[in-house]
Amino acid sequence: MLDLRDICKRYVTQSFTQVALDSVSLSFRDNEFVAILGPSGSGKTTMLNVIGGLDHFDSGDLLIDGISTKDFSDRDWDAYRNNRIGFVFQSFHLMPRENALENVALPLMFKGVGKEEREQRAMEMLKLVGIDNRYKHKPKEMSGGQQQRVGIARAFVTDPSVVFADEPTGNLDSKTTFEVMELIQKLVYTKNQTLVMVTHDSNVAKYSDITVNICDGKITSKDYNTK
């Protein structure tokens, strides 16, 4: 589904060039849960941003369903982000003035789904993540774990082909981390979707099917996890 072929990405200033991705080649297939594991500065978030269409690569190619993205226009990238993918963020990024139901329904509004249908689908997702009893609560009225459940529901509500998760447990305690990862794992297998997660925590990476280790912009290993 997603193929990175010799992807290079550099950040250049007047006095310094940082190589974030150094000839990275990697494939992501349907119905896989893949963890990108590495320390801060290893290139894992840059990789996520590149395959999520949030950042552009300098050389190489990213293929989506076999189609090269080298000549993608801004409109093509917008269509990819809006129609094919969902995001789970470390810092939740919920709309502070909107309640849980409205936050989850927001991506459906951008897709032109009518109010009644988007609220119904949002409530179904809130039930699936176990937080439908707080659908009227705003982010400030919820715990970090509850906010992340809302963020996860929002990422999955449009039934995207692939969900990207950027350090989804980075702001959570160990107990809540366990609960959130169990939930993410359940959703991936229930909805038969692909999830690509970046993390610095090897214990979190163990929830995935495959762990890809990255260091200094290079992939060092690809390990299949046993459940």
Side-chain angles (χ1 to χ4, degrees):
M1 181 171 62
L2 296 172
D3 290 296
L4 287 81
R5 297 184 179 178
D6 293 320
I7 292 287
C8 292
K9 176 65 181 179
R10 297 174 176 84
Y11 296 101
V12 180
T13 65
Q14 288 184 341
S15 59
F16 181 72
T17 298
Q18 179 185 1
V19 179
L21 296 175
D22 189 357
S23 299
V24 169
S25 294
L26 186 65
S27 296
F28 301 94
R29 301 306 177 198
D30 292 337
N31 307 330
E32 281 186 341
F33 182 0
V34 181
I36 310 298
L37 178 64
S40 178
S42 61
K44 60 186 186 297
T45 297
T46 299
M47 185 192 301
L48 196 73
N49 288 339
V50 166
I51 59 179
L54 300 177
D55 202 354
H56 297 298
F57 49 89
D58 296 325
S59 62
D61 200 2
L62 169 65
L63 278 68
I64 302 173
D65 293 335
I67 299 173
S68 171
T69 62
K70 283 183 178 180
D71 297 322
F72 263 29
S73 65
D74 289 342
R75 186 174 180 177
D76 292 328
W77 285 116
D78 286 342
Y80 168 62
R81 288 189 295 266
N82 292 334
N83 299 318
R84 299 289 302 275
I85 63 180
F87 279 95
V88 180
F89 303 97
Q90 176 179 346
S91 299
F92 317 136
H93 292 315
L94 302 180
M95 302 296 289
R97 297 184 180 180
E98 309 296 330
N99 62 34
L101 182 68
E102 292 164 337
N103 266 285
V104 175
L106 195 59
L108 295 172
M109 183 179 70
F110 292 145
K111 291 175 69 69
V113 177
K115 182 178 180 180
E116 183 176 352
E117 180 182 348
R118 66 176 182 256
E119 288 186 351
Q120 178 183 352
R121 290 171 62 178
M123 183 60 77
E124 289 173 355
M125 279 305 311
L126 287 172
K127 288 180 180 178
L128 199 57
V129 301
I131 199 173
D132 53 302
N133 62 328
R134 301 186 70 83
Y135 76 99
K136 289 186 177 181
H137 288 70
K138 295 182 178 179
K140 66 180 181 180
E141 299 170 328
M142 295 183 283
S143 68
Q146 290 169 339
Q147 290 184 63
Q148 191 58 296
R149 286 172 181 262
V150 174
I152 292 167
R154 179 184 58 191
F156 280 88
V157 73
T158 60
D159 291 323
S161 302
V162 58
V163 173
F164 299 109
D166 187 2
E167 297 279 7
T169 62
N171 288 333
L172 306 177
D173 59 49
S174 57
K175 178 178 180 296
T176 309
T177 290
F178 169 79
E179 294 172 351
V180 166
M181 289 311 304
E182 289 282 320
L183 172 61
I184 288 175
Q185 191 180 61
K186 173 186 174 182
L187 283 174
V188 170
Y189 299 142
T190 299
K191 298 178 76 64
N192 294 318
Q193 288 167 316
T194 297
L195 189 138
V196 181
M197 173 185 69
V198 301
T199 181
H200 66 276
D201 189 337
S202 59
N203 290 320
V204 169
K206 290 177 182 177
Y207 285 88
S208 66
D209 300 317
I210 301 168
T211 297
V212 176
N213 290 276
I214 186 171
C215 185
D216 296 330
K218 289 181 174 290
I219 294 174
T220 58
S221 66
K222 181 178 180 181
D223 304 315
Y224 290 84
N225 300 322
T226 57
K227 298 293 189 287

